[in-house]
């Protein structure tokens, strides 16, 4: 299975950051894709799982994959360039 994690961070993390600290908003779990299948124009609606204090944040999207040990390992990270105010 795949997992998207959405974080909100106060400071823009660098591209080579190994650790990103922020407020975890939610996890979105997806079943593995079959070969040659892609997801397009998908809308996923979710609620914040954790309270985030009012402020201005950079969103970060992390794609993780469940390994054979049952642990999600980060595969890719998307750091948004624009800040958003809550």
């Amino acid at each position: 299975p795949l997992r998207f994690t959405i974080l909100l961070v106060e400071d823009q993390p660098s591209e080579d950051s190994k650790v990103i600290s922020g407020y975890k908003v939610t996890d979105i779990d997806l079943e593995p894709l079959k070969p040659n299948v892609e997801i397009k124009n998908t809308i996923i609606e979710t609620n914040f799982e954790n309270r985030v204090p009012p402020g201005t944040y950079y969103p970060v999207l992390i794609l993780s994959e469940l390994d054979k040990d049952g642990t999600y390992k980060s595969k890719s990270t998307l750091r948004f360039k624009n800040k958003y105010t809550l």
Side-chain angles (χ1 to χ4, degrees), residues 19 21-22 28 32-33 49 75 77:
V19 176
S21 297
I28 301 164
L33 299 176
E49 292 178 8
K75 296 295 183 181
T77 303

Side-chain angles (χ1 to χ4, degrees), residues 13-26:
S14 67
E15 290 295 323
D16 59 347
S17 295
K18 299 292 183 206
V19 176
I20 299 174
S21 297
Y23 297 98
K24 182 171 102 170
V25 175
T26 193

Side-chain angles (χ1 to χ4, degrees), residues 20-74:
I20 299 174
S21 297
Y23 297 98
K24 182 171 102 170
V25 175
T26 193
D27 288 321
I28 301 164
D29 294 330
L30 300 172
E31 289 304 313
L33 299 176
K34 294 181 179 162
N36 300 317
V37 172
E38 58 185 61
I39 298 173
K40 286 186 175 182
N41 302 321
T42 300
I43 296 173
I44 298 173
E45 294 182 4
T46 186
N47 293 321
F48 279 32
E49 292 178 8
N50 299 303
R51 292 180 83 50
V52 177
T56 303
Y57 301 96
Y58 292 99
V60 177
L61 181 65
I62 301 170
L63 173 63
S64 303
E65 185 175 32
L66 190 65
D67 68 10
K68 58 186 168 197
D69 298 325
T71 304
Y72 279 94
K73 302 287 185 191
S74 176

